[in-house]
Amino acid sequence: MFYRETGQFKTNYQKDQQVFPIAQDRVFVALLLIVAFGVVPFVANEYWLQAILIPFLIFSLAAVGLNLLTGYAGQVSLGTGAFMAVGAYATYKITTNIPEINIIIVFLLSGGIAALVGILFGLPSLRIKGFYLAVATLAAQFFILWLFNKVGWFYNDNPSGTITAPPRTLFGIMISGPRATAEVRYFVALIFLVGFTIVAKNIVRGRIGRSWMAIRDMDIAAEIIGIEPLKTKLMAFAVSSFYCGVAGALSVFVWLGSAETEAFDIFLSFQILFMIIIGGLGSIMGSIVGAAFITLVPIFLTNAPALFGLPISTDLSKHIEEIVFGGLIVYLLIVEPHGFARLWQIGKEKLRQWPFPY
Amino acid sequence: MPLLETVGLSKSFDGLRAISNLDVDIEAGSIHGLIGPNGSGKSTFFNLVTGVYQPDPGSKIFFDGHDITRSPSHQIGALGIARTFQLLRLFSEMTVLQNVMVGYHTHVPYGFLSTIFNNSAIIKKDAETTDEMMELLEFIGLADYAGMPASELSGGQRRLLSLGRAMAMRPKLLMLDEPAAGLSPVNVENLLAIVMSLKERFGLTVLIVEHILKVVMETCDTVTVLDYGEKIGEGTPEEVKDDHAVIEAYLGQEMDDDEVRATFDS
């Protein structure tokens, strides 16, 4: 009854193509941002920020990136973890060798390097599609991690083989390294996510997004219409890898503090892929909801027995968590194969008609 | 000078000649029909012209003064050849409006950086494109469905949309691959009326491949008949209708009574 377009007239197509055409949506998103920026960091404690919220923000960024490639351009990739590793290792190399460059710029440069690597491993997509392409991107996953493990140059030949975030400041505030506070690191991750989500939204509702979707839906027709498959697919790989690269850099420099290649293994790639499948392929908001589901639900499940005062040992509750979580994913995909984004859309339709569905 | 000209066009698949030594001229402003029995090479001809297949050496295809024999599909599209597909091949997950907006792509040049920052020039350009595309949808009668995914349209509407998508490219030559297949007679009339009015409005040249001979006979200025990849007849619909070779290809060889008896007795 309160959620509908009644009275909100659009006088031209410019207004019709706004990101959120319905005023209530704009209010909702604005409230969400106010809470994320103004309330959460002052209410949440160190554990919440470090163990739950920061990883959620970073995984959301990676999921948005992968959704651009898989959901919009239709190219399945299992190399997400590797592209994130490229971003992380590139940031490490650049900032340890040239500490003068502002760390934010280094993050973006590293995203650029990840984009180039993404283009390289995207080349097979011109010839192979679907599952076969997924297998080809696995090559990226294994090769890149092997390279970072094997060649000491990538981790400055330090004996532990890990990369560690050095202390770096922005406007005099410590944002990376052991002395950076969780609140500041939360803000950095949040600003990156919000900024890049807006950019992603602009890309997908414009000409580039349409050419990606055209390639996804029917590549032969798209080509005859004048869309160059080579350029379009490689651009999707580049943009997606850029997002993943920045997310990887953030995961080491504002979340973990130090990491080895194991932090970016195939399970991470699968995890991000699950996020976009559960959230909804071809939906920016869905990527973020999916990331929330995959990161938050296991934590809730682990803590649930203790919360309800059930005397269950930790290892048992961990097993229960895995069973319940797996079951939930299967259930969700049966109920709505198109993910949360579609559920949300259906909910909105219902809300629009409520309480008079006829 | 013809708008589209093929010289010695040939294509073989592993030794099977799908098209052999075909010379076809399509005059600007005409409606040209291409007919022939199943497997006579009509669709192969379409795919050769639009760059889906590469023709055999020695073939030449000219369009509007350009040699497009070896050009990739997307360049051929940009030069002004649009086509529809027998199986439509719409962008099924995209909305009706997005489908035609993709068709208009080659006419809206703007770069990657300006898209990211979504500056006002882009927003304005996109709104202009939308205006123009809505007008086109109005023209083909799909404006009411602009926000609907293409997969939710009815069969007839999909056929219209595939026509609209091709028209959004603002082509000089429109190639229709069996536009009337699976349509009821009323819808066929409707579709032909739309094609004719589009032709008048935009000064199009149209090439139609069609099985329903009535459609070809009523609309085309010139008809080319193919059989086994070769041209067996060409001319106005009337001339073609009376052509001995064409009747033979479609209805089989004319036999006299003795031959029939001989065939049955043996």
Side-chain angles (χ1 to χ4, degrees):
Chain A
M1 190 169 192
F2 305 104
Y3 183 85
R4 56 176 56 170
E5 301 100 320
T6 317
Q8 298 175 23
F9 299 110
K10 310 286 189 300
T11 45
N12 58 26
Y13 292 119
Q14 213 156 317
K15 284 198 186 132
D16 209 32
Q17 288 188 320
Q18 283 172 326
V19 176
F20 301 110
I22 299 175
Q24 284 88 333
D25 276 350
R26 287 200 289 279
V27 173
F28 175 72
V29 170
L31 278 177
L32 202 65
L33 286 178
I34 289 170
V35 171
F37 276 99
V39 181
V40 170
F42 303 105
V43 178
N45 58 25
E46 173 88 24
Y47 167 78
W48 267 83
L49 290 172
Q50 174 66 24
I52 300 171
L53 291 171
I54 295 177
F56 155 63
L57 294 173
I58 290 169
F59 287 147
S60 295
L61 183 60
V64 169
L66 182 63
N67 216 336
L68 292 178
L69 180 67
T70 304
Y72 285 92
Q75 312 296 311
V76 186
S77 164
L78 288 176
T80 319
F83 298 134
M84 289 175 75
V86 170
Y89 277 75
T91 305
Y92 179 71
K93 275 310 275 187
I94 296 173
T95 198
T96 49
N97 283 310
I98 322 169
E100 299 81 39
I101 305 181
N102 185 299
I103 190 73
I104 300 295
I105 294 172
V106 177
F107 287 157
L108 298 177
L109 280 177
S110 307
I113 292 170
L116 292 179
V117 176
I119 289 176
L120 186 68
F121 283 97
L123 283 172
S125 70
L126 302 170
R127 289 279 167 173
I128 47 184
K129 293 170 189 167
F131 290 122
Y132 304 96
L133 178 64
V135 173
T137 56
L138 264 185
Q141 176 71 41
F142 290 121
F143 173 73
I144 289 172
L145 292 198
W146 172 83
L147 193 69
F148 288 168
N149 250 335
K150 209 77 187 165
V151 181
W153 182 81
F154 288 108
Y155 47 91
N156 289 350
D157 288 310
N158 71 42
S160 63
T162 58
I163 55 170
T164 311
R168 290 287 179 267
T169 59
L170 179 71
F171 307 126
I173 305 167
M174 195 65 81
I175 62 168
S176 162
R179 282 187 295 121
T181 63
E183 284 83 2
V184 171
R185 291 183 284 122
Y186 168 84
F187 271 120
V188 173
L190 183 61
I191 290 166
F192 264 97
L193 176 63
V194 171
F196 277 104
T197 303
I198 294 170
V199 169
K201 200 77 200 175
N202 280 341
I203 293 176
V204 299
R205 72 199 172 113
R207 174 195 146 115
I208 292 172
R210 283 195 297 271
S211 62
W212 284 348
M213 290 187 276
I215 286 281
R216 172 195 70 190
D217 280 0
M218 195 54 76
D219 49 359
I220 292 183
E223 187 174 0
I224 279 168
I225 272 172
I227 295 171
E228 204 181 334
L230 173 74
K231 229 171 87 185
T232 312
K233 285 182 183 174
L234 290 187
M235 188 187 278
F237 266 98
V239 175
S240 167
S241 306
F242 181 93
Y243 273 65
C244 293
V246 171
L250 289 175
S251 73
V252 170
F253 286 77
V254 308
W255 176 36
L256 297 170
S258 70
E260 294 175 39
T261 49
E262 277 83 69
F264 302 103
D265 62 6
I266 181 84
F267 292 107
L268 180 63
S269 300
F270 277 124
Q271 219 179 359
I272 309 281
L273 189 63
F274 291 158
M275 287 174 191
I276 64 168
I277 290 173
I278 294 235
L281 291 171
S283 160
I284 299 288
M285 279 325 243
S287 321
I288 295 171
V289 177
F293 184 84
I294 299 270
T295 26
L296 303 187
V297 171
I299 294 172
F300 169 76
L301 288 175
T302 315
N303 293 323
L307 229 58
F308 297 122
L310 294 174
I312 295 177
S313 66
T314 19
D315 58 333
L316 183 58
S317 87
K318 185 74 195 160
H319 292 309
I320 292 177
E321 176 222 307
E322 275 168 21
I323 293 169
V324 174
F325 188 54
L328 261 180
I329 290 180
V330 173
Y331 173 75
L332 258 173
L333 290 180
I334 290 172
V335 172
E336 186 47 73
H338 296 284
F340 280 118
R342 182 62 62 86
L343 279 181
W344 174 239
Q345 216 172 19
I346 294 170
K348 279 207 291 200
E349 293 297 320
K350 291 242 161 78
L351 211 53
R352 244 177 238 190
Q353 293 165 350
W354 186 86
F356 306 112
Y358 306 105
Chain B
M1 202 185 84
L3 184 65
L4 182 79
E5 186 183 3
T6 68
V7 183
L9 185 66
S10 303
K11 175 70 185 173
S12 36
F13 297 101
D14 296 330
L16 175 77
R17 302 210 81 168
I19 296 273
S20 69
N21 216 13
L22 189 63
D23 298 337
V24 176
D25 289 353
I26 294 170
E27 296 300 329
S30 69
I31 296 189
H32 196 115
L34 190 60
I35 61 173
N38 281 329
S40 59
K42 306 182 297 289
S43 291
T44 308
F45 179 78
F46 262 47
N47 288 332
L48 287 170
V49 171
T50 50
V52 177
Y53 297 151
Q54 290 294 313
D56 291 346
S59 312
K60 282 279 170 221
I61 308 172
F62 298 99
F63 175 72
D64 204 17
H66 302 270
D67 182 352
I68 59 165
T69 316
R70 306 266 164 221
S71 303
S73 293
H74 62 94
Q75 274 175 21
I76 294 173
L79 278 176
I81 299 185
R83 69 170 286 188
T84 64
F85 293 85
Q86 214 172 63
L87 300 172
L88 303 183
R89 300 187 188 275
L90 295 172
F91 305 127
S92 51
E93 301 285 309
M94 299 169 76
T95 66
V96 170
L97 179 62
Q98 282 174 332
N99 263 274
V100 286
M101 282 184 81
V102 170
Y104 197 64
H105 257 189
T106 42
H107 301 273
V108 266
Y110 60 74
F112 183 67
L113 283 179
S114 42
T115 309
I116 291 180
F117 299 111
N118 201 34
N119 61 37
S120 54
I122 295 298
I123 297 175
K124 195 155 161 280
K125 185 79 211 170
D126 249 18
E128 279 170 24
T129 312
T130 313
D131 275 336
E132 219 162 307
M133 291 301 105
M134 284 305 290
E135 204 179 306
L136 176 68
L137 286 179
E138 201 93 45
F139 197 82
I140 59 173
L142 288 178
D144 291 345
Y145 307 98
M148 206 186 257
S151 56
E152 288 176 19
L153 294 181
S154 73
Q157 289 168 336
R158 283 182 211 191
R159 228 153 249 286
L160 284 175
L161 179 57
S162 82
L163 179 64
R165 187 178 68 180
M167 281 312 299
M169 296 168 68
R170 297 279 181 263
K172 297 188 184 102
L173 173 66
L174 176 64
M175 298 175 42
L176 304 172
D177 198 351
E178 300 206 15
L183 289 184
S184 69
V186 179
N187 283 336
V188 171
E189 296 290 317
N190 180 26
L191 186 87
L192 287 178
I194 290 175
V195 171
M196 293 307 276
S197 56
L198 285 172
K199 176 184 180 292
E200 292 306 315
R201 195 167 157 196
F202 297 104
L204 280 176
T205 307
V206 184
L207 174 65
I208 300 184
V209 163
E210 189 50 77
H211 263 306
I212 304 174
L213 287 180
K214 182 168 167 280
V215 171
V216 177
M217 294 304 162
E218 279 174 7
T219 49
C220 294
D221 305 318
T222 318
V223 177
T224 302
V225 189
L226 294 184
D227 193 23
Y228 294 109
E230 285 175 45
K231 183 158 82 176
I232 57 166
E234 191 168 55
T236 64
E238 282 72 34
E239 287 166 7
V240 166
K241 220 183 324 192
D242 299 329
D243 192 305
H244 191 75
V246 175
I247 295 171
E248 198 172 288
Y250 264 90
L251 302 175
Q253 208 169 13
E254 289 176 74
M255 300 180 186
D256 58 31
D257 288 351
D258 288 345
E259 278 176 324
V260 174
R261 211 168 294 126
T263 315
F264 277 101
D265 287 346
S266 61

